[in-house]
Amino acid sequence: MNPKSDNSLRSLRAELELALRDSPPSSGPARLPGAGEPPLYDAVVAGKSGEEVVLELSPRVQGAVPLAEFEAVPPPGSPVRVTLVGREEGLWIFSVRAQQQIAAWDQIEVGS
């Protein structure tokens, strides 16, 4: 997977948001981002394909997370929270690890 520039990711996020909005029921972002933060999305595991875990964000929007990001293969139907990291060959690529880092920052309290 190729790392994407900030501008490229912003463009991809806008494209994903449009796809989710046009695909009822729309899940949309699970958490609205702060300034400079990527949005988090709720998804459901659809299955495993090769070295990827296939996700469904809505009936018309699917993506994948590299299997290496999971300790064990999550069973189909499992909810996961992800962030967008790119798009390859028409498939949305998400990350669970990046989402976990963002969530950890959200839990830090000022002065701790």
Side-chain angles (χ1 to χ4, degrees):
M1 180 168 43
N2 298 330
K4 302 289 182 186
S5 71
D6 285 344
N7 287 337
S8 178
L9 273 176
R10 273 193 289 273
S11 176
L12 284 173
R13 285 184 196 121
E15 190 178 337
L16 177 60
E17 291 296 329
L18 183 61
L20 287 170
R21 189 171 39 238
D22 291 344
S23 179
S26 174
S27 64
R31 173 185 67 79
L32 293 177
E37 294 179 341
L40 302 178
Y41 299 93
D42 288 328
V44 176
V45 173
K48 178 185 172 285
S49 177
E51 294 300 311
E52 296 178 324
V53 173
V54 179
L55 305 176
E56 187 170 283
L57 279 80
S58 77
R60 296 183 201 159
V61 179
Q62 292 79 34
V65 173
L67 184 58
E69 292 202 16
F70 295 92
E71 290 181 20
V73 178
S78 299
V80 293
R81 187 165 278 183
V82 295
T83 189
L84 179 66
V85 294
R87 191 167 188 186
E88 291 182 7
E89 299 176 14
L91 183 67
W92 298 106
I93 306 297
F94 296 96
S95 175
V96 171
R97 288 184 184 159
Q99 176 281 135
Q100 291 167 340
Q101 292 171 345
I102 294 167
W105 277 107
D106 284 348
Q107 294 176 6
I108 293 176
E109 294 181 21
V110 175
S112 61

